[in-house]
């Protein structure tokens, strides 16, 4: 016989589980950043700068082509991530671990990579055609050698989830560049304490 009446009626705040809950903590992301190879070569230093944008600002790989040198404000230690095809513009602080390396990259490394060429882009290659894919192809093998073997997708998911642990939904929507609040809601981990509390309050034995 089917259950005709369910005595426990629970109304929870909207949350979804479309985004996996197995993510990296801030400490683990820091560990990964420090473990990322930094050799004294032009490309290695550039790659570390780019990797920092994934780790601390949670950028999408498709946003790299929109970021110019003018987006970096070293005086205020922040960076503008311009609007992309699927994301909004936002201004995010640079982590203290990024500042010195970013300054060195802008003033020393990047000019040497460009040589006599001109470019407004922040991340550049030594070839005339600024092939971002070729830079990412250098980063992918390095990720496999790192602790926890993270992917760029996992890093972005982890950054956003860590932001949600410290900020409200609207703030994180802005920080992540999400156009719709529903996209940010997909990253919310269901609150098990709230679920337990609602069950206890609505259970007929407690009435």
């Amino acid at each position: 016989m089917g259950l005709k009446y369910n005595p426990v009626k629970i109304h929870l705040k909207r949350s979804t589980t479309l985004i996996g809950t197995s993510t990296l903590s801030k400490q683990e992301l820091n560990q990964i950043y420090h473990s990322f190879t930094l050799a004294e070569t032009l490309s290695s230093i550039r790659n570390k700068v780019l990797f920092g944008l994934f780790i601390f600002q949670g950028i999408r790989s498709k946003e790299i082509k929109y970021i110019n040198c003018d987006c970096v404000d070293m005086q205020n230690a922040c960076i503008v991530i311009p609007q992309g095809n699927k994301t909004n513009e936002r201004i995010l602080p640079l982590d203290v671990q990024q500042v010195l390396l970013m300054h060195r990259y802008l003033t020393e490394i990047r000019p040497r990579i460009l040589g006599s060429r001109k470019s407004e882009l922040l991340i550049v290659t030594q070839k005339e055609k600024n092939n971002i894919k070729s830079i990412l192809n250098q980063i992918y093998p390095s990720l496999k050698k790192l602790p926890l073997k993270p992917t760029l997708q996992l890093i972005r998911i982890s950054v956003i989830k860590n932001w949600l642990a410290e900020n409200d939904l609207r703030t994180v929507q802005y920080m992540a560049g999400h156009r719709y609040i529903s996209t940010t809601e997909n990253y919310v981990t269901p609150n098990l304490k709230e679920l337990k509390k609602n069950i206890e309050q609505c259970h007929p034995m407690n009435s």
Side-chain angles (χ1 to χ4, degrees), residues 100-124:
L100 288 179
L101 191 63
M102 179 67 80
H103 181 266
R104 184 185 176 194
Y105 173 72
L106 288 171
T107 58
E108 176 191 343
I109 304 302
R110 184 178 174 280
R112 289 173 61 188
I113 292 176
L114 282 174
S116 60
R117 293 183 295 118
K118 301 290 183 181
S119 176
E120 295 180 353
L121 294 174
L122 175 64
I123 302 299
V124 294

Side-chain angles (χ1 to χ4, degrees), residues 128-147:
E128 186 69 33
K129 186 178 180 181
N130 206 57
N131 192 342
I132 298 299
K133 187 175 180 180
S134 68
I135 301 176
L136 293 174
N137 286 337
Q138 294 175 31
I139 290 179
Y140 292 141
S142 299
L143 293 178
K144 295 179 181 179
K145 300 176 184 178
L146 295 176

Side-chain angles (χ1 to χ4, degrees), residues 35-142:
S35 300
F36 190 82
T37 304
L38 179 59
E40 277 300 311
T41 64
L42 301 180
S43 61
S44 176
I45 296 172
R46 175 205 60 207
N47 293 351
K48 180 87 172 188
V49 168
L50 175 56
F51 191 59
L53 297 178
F54 291 120
I55 290 288
F56 298 112
Q57 284 75 40
I59 68 166
R60 301 171 70 242
S61 57
K62 292 182 178 180
E63 293 179 309
I64 300 169
K65 62 183 178 181
Y66 301 114
I67 306 175
N68 293 333
C69 282
D70 290 344
C71 295
V72 183
D73 182 350
M74 292 304 301
Q75 184 174 353
N76 295 302
C78 62
I79 183 169
V80 177
I81 311 298
Q83 178 178 329
N85 289 333
K86 294 185 178 180
T87 51
N88 288 334
E89 178 180 296
R90 63 268 194 202
I91 302 175
L92 300 172
L94 292 172
D95 189 88
V96 64
Q97 301 172 76
Q98 293 177 278
V99 174
L100 288 179
L101 191 63
M102 179 67 80
H103 181 266
R104 184 185 176 194
Y105 173 72
L106 288 171
T107 58
E108 176 191 343
I109 304 302
R110 184 178 174 280
R112 289 173 61 188
I113 292 176
L114 282 174
S116 60
R117 293 183 295 118
K118 301 290 183 181
S119 176
E120 295 180 353
L121 294 174
L122 175 64
I123 302 299
V124 294
T125 66
Q126 291 177 307
K127 296 184 178 180
E128 186 69 33
K129 186 178 180 181
N130 206 57
N131 192 342
I132 298 299
K133 187 175 180 180
S134 68
I135 301 176
L136 293 174
N137 286 337
Q138 294 175 31
I139 290 179
Y140 292 141
S142 299

Side-chain angles (χ1 to χ4, degrees), residues 152-181:
L152 294 182
Q153 181 183 26
L154 175 61
I155 289 172
R156 176 167 166 81
I157 291 171
S158 300
V159 170
I160 294 173
K161 279 182 169 284
N162 290 335
W163 283 340
L164 281 167
E166 300 175 349
N167 302 277
D168 62 80
L169 204 61
R170 285 293 181 186
T171 299
V172 176
Q173 178 190 6
Y174 170 80
M175 295 171 74
H178 292 154
R179 292 185 177 173
Y180 306 102
I181 192 68

